[in-house]
Structure formats: structure tokens, C-alpha cells
Amino acid sequence: MTRAEMDALGWDSCDVILVTGDAYIDHPSFGMALVGRLLEAQGYKVGIISQPDWQSAEPFRALGKPNLYWGITAGNMDSMVNRYTADRKIRSDDAYTPNAEPNKRPDRAVTVYAQRVREAYPGVPVVIGSIEASLRRIAHYDYWSDKVRRSVLFESKADLLIFGNAERALVDVTRRIAAGENIKSIRDIRGTAFLVPQGWLPDEEWSVHNSTRVDVPGRIDAHPNPYAMAQEDTKACATENAKPEPEVKPVVIMTREERQAAAREKARKTVVRLPSFETVSEDPVMYAHASRVFHLESNPGNARALVQAHGDRDVWLNAPPLPLAMDEMDNVYDLPYARNPHPSYGKAHIPAWEMIRYSVNIMRGCFGGCTFCSITEHEGRIIQSRSEPSILREIELIRDTTKNFGGTITDLGGPTANMYRLACKEKSIEESCRRLSCVYPTICSNLGTDHSKLIQLYRKARAIPGIKKILIGSGLRYDLAVRSPEYVKELVTHHVGGLLKIAPEHTEQGTLSKMMKPGIGAYDEFKRLFEKYSLEAGKKQYLIPYFIAAHPGSTDEDMLNLALWLKKNNFKLDQVQTFTPTPMAMATTMYHTRKNPLKKVTEDSEVVETARSGKMRKAHKAFLRYHHPENWPILRETLTKMGRGDLIGNGERHLVPAWHPSEENGTAIAGDRKRQGGMPAPQPHQIAANAKRKPERAAPGGRVVAAAPERARPSILSTIKTKPKGARK
């Protein structure tokens, strides 16, 4: 972090200098710490520059010139997602910065940092990584500029991009550069991307397949006549028709295993050419086609290399990295992390650190394939799990070394809490599979859903002396959980601290099909088991559902039905999420192209309508918080346009009131009353009187009669008793 620390270690220079947009926290949940410790374990001197001032190159000279290369990352989050809300407004805080201070990293941090290190020390190789680089490795739609942008390799001018689970690639690249190899010649490592001259191939054995051979987008050209004896082009030279007889080769009978091995070997030497940047930036259908092919080539067991032209150069992507084995995962997480923020931050409050300081990451990856999520594009669909002893050792380490630890582990999880050690029943099936999800539209019959190893882990973790409670804070895949009622019972009885997060995301099948999420019936089944086992345990516990507004495929009617479901189930959500199109996600493709890449894409294929205007997105979000007065005006307007004015009123069956005293001075609905018949907004002196009167409703024939007073039920969430802040540890 500083020259003084280098002097204390006796270093005059660093082998690798890592630049990050996050505060430096030496903990395995933070990618920069994991990368630094991994390289340190290989014997390299590693320096870290955290959140440098990017306005000039000078802060990037703080640790001198690296001997091998620069490693550039935006941090644990994409810098654009970190800095902007779903409405493209700048956030007021940053969870990865001391005291949550905003504006400590630039937009598109990977590109900016890479440019600055080039200025600081020209000629030093630049390697980029992290989720920001990983999700921008090919041409991609950028929500914040509302256009298709080039690969980040072009914008950053980096020498190499490492994506996905980067440990093996990182160590291999570092060793080869240290051995004197030029980074421009390192072209054979899985999980890497780089720029090459157009048409470049590693050697003459490689072949190129156009992406239309993987998935045909639109019109198919007529096949040539197999019975034609000669070329049918009368303008062609006659000598071209007189071709020599083909060489006769004997027919070789191969076993199934031999055919599969030959196919794998051929795929290993095949690159799939995606439509060029120039094509996908202008043609939405071809963009959707490229997105579909990209995701079909994501299983490391059968994925081929990809190439995409950008002008006169190609972006070359090697096949994704192979998943880490269990012992490799253990080695990464068993490294000697300090498990604290850097001492230079003093007592600064860092929200991201405080959230995970008592939690343990037990696995990586997700085979759910949710279209709005970027985990599968970054970490892959194959679950990589740590061993039980490694996890238990980390729990003991937290108990013994973490300041103010009160005996509660706040999470044993990862991207999905209950996918630990779940895998395909046969390795050969897993390696040949090209499904986009193991659990959609149904749970694959080849997927193991036995939760017994996770149950065993929970029980052993609870038994560690000094551990009072093990909570599960990561999201749960409930359609998998119901396959193992014993797991649900174990979870509900011992590992829920009153509230359990769960993410149905929506209730309507049309929207859920675009998310690749299960139907709401799976949620109902999990809820039934949750309530049953909570009752048996004598505990009052609640599910906290998460939903997404304005997701591609979600109509006004879908959002209304979701709001009615929330009201029926007495949910009054406090925090809701509006869909944010992140680079390379399949839902982002739907948002940008209005096409569905989950199926073959053509000009005439399914159109996916999406809430794109700010007003429509705001209305969809308002449906999720139908109970809040600030949302009533836009909901009244939207319901009226939908012809559902019957849901506006002060009765139990209505979604929003016609007017309510909580709307300050009636000004929030002045415009609504004019549209609904010219009635003026109530004056301040009328509000108290109106509050005492029974609300009115329209009766058949236009008469106005007094409505029965509404019996407002407290929200399920508002009935939860919580400790005052001062009582919490």
C-alpha cells in the first residue's frame, strides 16, 4: 500500500502492482486480497494501490515501476453499477469505500486505471480482470450510454484480459512473464482474452466456424444441389468444373466413446466467429444472436474459443477456465489473510466489510442461469465447493481473531446458499451439456439435489465451541430446497434469525419465463414447509421476498397482478429493485434488442416488450410499493389508463385510495382530481374533517354512499419485533 511498507519489507520494487477501485480489505471475500495473497504464496512481491486519484498519473507512481506487470480491477463491483442507480442517478454512498464516501472511483474504472498506468510507466504490460472486465470482454450493450460499446480490451488498450475463475490463469501468466516470455506471445491459456490481427489463428490445425452454424439467425440460404455434376454458374471457367476425383478413404467404424473423443479434440481446435462489433452495434437481431451463441459456448467441458472482429482487429476469447478442484479452492481460502481493512483506514466505517466480516464463503458459481444475473457469466455454472475442514477452520479463525466477535456467524453461503456440493450425476454428461440452466424450465433429472452434505456442514459448524449461532444470509434457491424437506427443517429450526431472504422475483409466468425462474407455486411450497417447521420449532419467523420491477417481458398487467398478490399476502415491501441492464446478461439483450435469446433469434421471432421510459419504469416500481403515499398519484394514473379504475378507492378490495389524509395538504393528487371530474384538492382546513369522515364510494346509478371503514392490517414485516439499535452487537 505504501513505500514505507515496502522499505520495512526490504523491497526496492514490486514484481506486480495491483490497482483497485475498492478500499483494501485483506479478506478472501475481496478479490484484490485473494489475488494478492495468491501471488504472494507463489513467491512474488505484490504491491496494491487502492482507490487512487485518477485525475493524473502521479498517484500511480506511488510504489514505483512493477517488474512484471500491472494488474487492473474496478473492484468487487462493476464501477457503473456501483456508482449509479437503476435510474442512472449517482448514488450518495459507496459501500466499498471508507465511511461510504462516494465518487472515489471513476466511471469505467478498468479503462481509466489502465490508461493512467500506461502514462505512469510506458512499456509495462497491463493485465485487466474482475467482474467489470469479465462482463465487457466482447461487444456489449452499455445501459449508461445507451449504445453498444466495443470490447474493454480496445478501450483500455490492455495486453491481456483474464475472466472467470482466474487463479490458474493468473499464476500461469505471472510465471511465464517472470521467465522472460513476452506477454504478446501468451495466447494459449484458458480464461484469457486478447487482441490479434484479423484472421489470426494459433496454428494451421485450427478451423473457423461462423456463429450461424451454432444457431441460425433468420433466413437460411438454399443448400447447393448435391446432384449437380458441375458448377451451375455459366460464367465460370470450364476448367474449374473439371476437378480431380476425390480421394477414396476407407470407412472407419468408431465406438461412441471414440466419436466423442474425436469431437472434443476437433472442438478444441475450433473457433466460433461471432458477428462483428460493427454488425451487432447496428442490427439488434444479430446482437441477440451473438448473445445466444456466447452463452451456448459457456460450459468449460465443451465450449469453443470465440472471436469477434472490431474493425481490422479481432478480439480472441479462449475457452472458459476449468472449475477449481476442492483442494485448489481450499488452498486459495486458507492463505494467511489479515481478515481486516488496511490499518491506514483507522476506525473508518466500511459497509461492505462490516457486512461480511463474520461470514464464510463456502462455494462459487451458480447453475440457476437467471437471465438478469451476471454470476454465471463470471463464475460459471459449475459449482466449486470448499471442503468441510477448510470451512470449519475459517469459522474457528473468525472466532479466535476477529475483533468484537459475539459468537454469531452471519452467513455460510455464496452466490446461492444451498448449492454447496451439488453437481451433475455424471461428469461425462456435465461436460457435454449445453443447457442454459440446470433448474429451468424444470430441474434436470441428471442434477443431484441431495442436501445431506450441507446439512452435515451446518451441524458440525454449530458444534464448534464458542459458536452460538450460524445464520444463512445468502439467497436461497427454494425450488431446490423443497426437494430436500430435511434441509428446510434443519435451516428453519437452527439457521434463521427471524427473517429469511428469498427471491421469487415475480409472480407472473410471462415475466418468470424471461427470467428463467420457477413459477410462484414453488415459492408457495417452500413457504408451506417454512411455516410448518417454524411452528414445530416454536419460533415466529418470516420470509422476506425480493422482487424485480420493469424486467424485460413484464407488462403493466403483470406488475398489477404482482401488486395484488403482495396486497393479498399482506406484504408491504420497504426496499425494491428496478431491473438494471448489466453488460452481457441475457435479460440485457432482451432490453436492448426486444428479442428473446433463450430461443433461436430471427426477424420474426418473439418480441419482448420492456419498460424503457423513465415514467413506465417508475410506475412498475410503484406497483411494488403500492402502500406508500408517494406512489399513489402515478398508480392512479396508470390504473386509469389500464381501465382498472375499480382498484382506486378506500375499501379493502382497492389497491390505492382515492385520497388519504397522509398525502400532505392533498397536493400530491391535485392533478388526479382534475382528471377524475374536476374536483379540487381538499384545502388544509378540510383535511382534519375528511380524516374523521367515513370514506365514500360510488354506488350503482351514480349515488354516493358511505363506505365501510377500512380495516387496515399491519404488514407482516411491520409486526416483526426487533431489538433497538443500542442493544445490537
Side-chain angles (χ1 to χ4, degrees):
M1 283 281 285
T2 65
R3 277 281 190 178
E5 289 173 314
M6 289 175 62
D7 293 340
L9 292 168
W11 298 356
D12 56 0
S13 64
C14 295
D15 295 321
V16 179
I17 297 180
L18 307 174
V19 182
T20 177
D22 291 342
Y24 178 53
I25 300 172
D26 192 12
H27 186 282
S29 291
F30 294 83
M32 188 50 53
L34 189 149
V35 167
R37 290 297 182 185
L38 177 67
L39 292 177
E40 179 190 52
Q42 300 295 317
Y44 300 104
K45 295 178 289 185
V46 182
I48 293 177
I49 298 177
S50 170
Q51 297 187 317
D53 180 0
W54 65 92
Q55 304 300 328
S56 74
E58 193 56 37
F60 296 83
R61 298 188 178 103
L63 302 182
K65 181 179 179 180
N67 301 325
L68 302 179
Y69 63 85
W70 293 98
I72 307 297
T73 168
N76 268 26
M77 286 182 68
D78 182 282
S79 62
M80 302 302 287
V81 176
N82 177 284
R83 193 157 183 259
Y84 293 90
T85 69
D87 298 323
R88 299 189 180 101
K89 296 179 180 178
I90 295 178
R91 299 184 190 274
S92 58
D93 57 9
D94 182 342
Y96 291 86
T97 300
N99 295 319
E101 190 175 344
N103 303 318
K104 286 294 185 179
R105 74 186 79 213
D107 291 352
R108 301 182 178 87
V110 164
T111 293
V112 175
Y113 290 159
Q115 292 170 347
R116 287 291 178 261
V117 299
R118 290 280 195 206
E119 293 174 27
Y121 293 106
V124 178
V126 176
V127 178
I128 59 176
S130 77
I131 192 166
E132 178 166 313
S134 190
L135 298 186
R136 289 171 165 79
R137 55 191 187 263
I138 60 172
H140 56 279
Y141 172 73
D142 183 80
Y143 171 64
W144 298 272
S145 58
D146 193 24
K147 67 178 183 180
V148 176
R149 297 179 74 99
R150 298 184 303 171
S151 164
V152 70
L153 279 163
F154 275 90
E155 299 194 342
S156 67
K157 297 180 173 58
D159 296 293
L160 194 68
L161 185 157
I162 299 180
F163 60 87
N165 301 290
E167 285 89 351
R168 285 202 205 96
L170 190 69
V171 171
D172 286 350
V173 167
T174 309
R175 285 177 176 170
R176 289 168 66 168
I177 294 176
E181 188 170 350
N182 190 315
I183 193 170
K184 299 291 186 183
S185 67
I186 300 176
R187 296 291 183 254
D188 57 346
I189 297 178
R190 296 183 71 117
T192 61
F194 41 85
L195 297 178
V196 291
Q198 194 172 69
W200 176 89
L201 292 173
D203 57 52
E204 65 278 359
E205 294 182 7
W206 278 74
S207 61
V208 181
H209 281 199
N210 191 287
S211 63
T212 56
R213 297 181 65 177
V214 178
D215 193 72
V216 179
R219 183 175 64 84
I220 302 175
D221 294 330
H223 292 291
N225 182 358
Y227 301 103
M229 300 302 293
Q231 292 184 11
E232 297 178 2
D233 185 358
T234 57
K235 297 180 181 179
C237 178
T239 57
E240 293 180 2
N241 294 328
K243 293 188 175 181
E245 290 291 326
E247 181 184 352
V248 178
K249 295 182 179 180
V251 176
V252 179
I253 307 299
M254 302 173 68
T255 66
R256 180 183 177 186
E257 290 74 18
E258 288 173 333
R259 289 197 304 273
Q260 290 176 339
R264 284 195 296 270
E265 181 60 25
K266 184 178 180 180
R268 194 176 67 82
K269 293 278 189 175
T270 299
V271 62
V272 176
R273 180 167 287 280
L274 299 174
S276 69
F277 161 72
E278 290 77 13
T279 299
V280 299
S281 62
E282 296 176 0
D283 188 340
V285 172
M286 293 306 290
Y287 183 100
H289 160 74
S291 173
R292 175 170 169 79
V293 173
F294 174 86
H295 286 86
L296 288 172
E297 298 292 339
S298 62
N299 181 348
N302 58 53
R304 293 168 287 188
L306 299 173
V307 66
Q308 184 179 51
H310 287 58
D312 60 353
R313 303 188 75 189
D314 282 342
V315 174
W316 181 286
L317 279 69
N318 282 326
L322 295 172
L324 295 183
M326 185 174 285
D327 61 336
E328 292 175 308
M329 283 280 285
D330 288 352
N331 289 338
V332 169
Y333 283 89
D334 288 346
L335 293 169
Y337 302 95
R339 308 187 69 84
N340 276 302
H342 191 268
S344 64
Y345 300 130
K347 296 182 179 180
H349 160 68
I350 307 176
W353 154 244
E354 292 171 4
M355 183 178 72
I356 60 90
R357 66 190 305 185
Y358 305 132
S359 68
V360 179
N361 196 330
I362 65 174
M363 47 77 68
R364 275 188 200 164
C366 180
F367 49 66
C370 299
T371 62
F372 52 83
C373 180
S374 299
I375 292 172
T376 52
E377 285 89 346
H378 185 55
E379 294 188 359
R381 291 186 173 86
I382 298 174
I383 302 303
Q384 301 156 81
S385 301
R386 296 170 61 186
S387 71
E388 196 177 83
S390 174
I391 295 167
L392 299 178
R393 282 196 300 272
E394 184 170 351
I395 294 174
E396 292 173 343
L397 195 63
I398 292 173
R399 177 198 63 190
D400 297 339
T401 64
T402 306
K403 188 177 179 180
N404 298 326
F405 179 64
T408 298
I409 298 294
T410 54
D411 188 25
L412 283 184
T416 306
N418 62 321
M419 287 187 182
Y420 177 71
R421 298 188 70 171
L422 297 189
C424 193
K425 293 176 181 178
E426 294 288 342
K427 190 69 176 175
S428 59
I429 296 174
E430 178 185 86
E431 290 178 347
S432 61
C433 180
R434 293 177 71 83
R435 280 183 60 157
L436 296 175
S437 170
C438 298
V439 291
Y440 184 86
T442 59
I443 295 175
C444 179
S445 59
N446 294 309
L447 178 66
T449 58
D450 180 11
H451 285 57
S452 60
K453 290 183 175 66
L454 185 55
I455 294 171
Q456 178 178 290
L457 174 64
Y458 286 176
R459 290 173 178 170
K460 290 186 177 180
R462 292 200 309 268
I464 294 176
I467 300 301
K468 300 175 183 177
K469 189 81 173 176
I470 302 280
L471 300 176
I472 303 304
S474 298
L476 199 73
R477 189 78 194 198
Y478 52 84
D479 52 342
L480 283 174
V482 297
R483 293 287 186 99
S484 178
E486 183 186 5
Y487 169 73
V488 180
K489 183 175 182 178
E490 188 80 14
L491 173 76
V492 171
T493 305
H494 300 287
H495 301 286
V496 177
L499 308 175
L500 180 67
K501 294 185 293 186
I502 196 167
E505 309 295 8
H506 218 284
T507 57
E508 304 308 292
Q509 192 56 42
T511 305
L512 290 170
S513 70
K514 304 302 184 293
M515 296 177 166
M516 289 212 297
K517 290 284 287 187
I520 198 66
Y523 167 83
D524 293 334
E525 175 63 14
F526 181 81
K527 183 173 181 288
R528 184 186 67 79
L529 292 174
F530 181 88
E531 291 174 345
K532 173 187 174 183
Y533 294 129
S534 291
L535 185 63
E536 289 180 5
K539 295 182 176 182
K540 287 186 177 181
Q541 300 183 141
Y542 304 88
L543 291 175
I544 305 298
Y546 283 74
F547 298 92
I548 296 179
H551 190 278
S554 187
T555 63
D556 292 347
E557 288 74 16
D558 290 335
M559 293 307 303
L560 170 59
N561 290 337
L562 173 52
L564 293 173
W565 184 90
L566 291 170
K567 181 177 174 66
K568 177 183 175 181
N569 288 275
N570 198 25
F571 280 120
K572 295 180 180 177
L573 307 180
D574 222 11
Q575 295 181 335
V576 299
Q577 180 181 0
T578 305
F579 170 69
T580 301
T582 53
M584 290 205 326
M586 298 192 86
T588 300
T589 298
M590 298 179 200
Y591 177 91
H592 169 57
T593 67
R594 294 181 171 86
K595 291 294 181 180
N596 183 2
L598 301 178
K599 303 174 183 177
K600 286 191 176 183
V601 181
T602 70
E603 291 282 356
D604 302 322
S605 63
E606 177 187 7
V607 175
V608 181
E609 293 299 341
T610 304
R612 295 177 65 88
S613 71
K615 187 171 184 179
M616 191 174 179
R617 285 167 65 85
K618 185 177 180 181
H620 281 206
K621 184 177 181 180
F623 273 118
L624 293 181
R625 302 188 74 232
Y626 66 90
H627 57 282
H628 200 286
E630 70 180 11
N631 294 320
W632 293 342
I634 192 170
L635 288 179
R636 292 190 192 102
E637 181 181 346
T638 304
L639 290 170
T640 301
K641 287 181 179 178
M642 295 172 64
R644 294 306 308 269
D646 58 301
L647 294 174
I648 303 172
N650 299 325
E652 182 70 19
R653 66 182 180 84
H654 298 117
L655 183 66
V656 294
W659 179 78
H660 195 277
S662 62
E663 295 179 87
E664 184 180 358
N665 295 331
T667 55
I669 59 167
D672 294 334
R673 287 189 173 270
K674 290 178 183 178
R675 283 189 292 271
Q676 295 172 12
M679 292 177 62
Q683 298 302 309
H685 68 274
Q686 295 175 308
I687 293 175
N690 286 338
K692 295 176 182 178
R693 289 167 48 192
K694 293 181 179 179
E696 297 178 336
R697 61 181 174 86
R703 294 183 297 113
V704 176
V705 299
E710 182 177 354
R711 296 174 182 174
R713 294 180 297 164
S715 167
I716 288 176
L717 304 185
S718 66
T719 63
I720 300 170
K721 294 181 180 179
T722 58
K723 296 179 182 179
K725 289 185 178 179
R728 294 178 182 171
K729 293 185 178 180

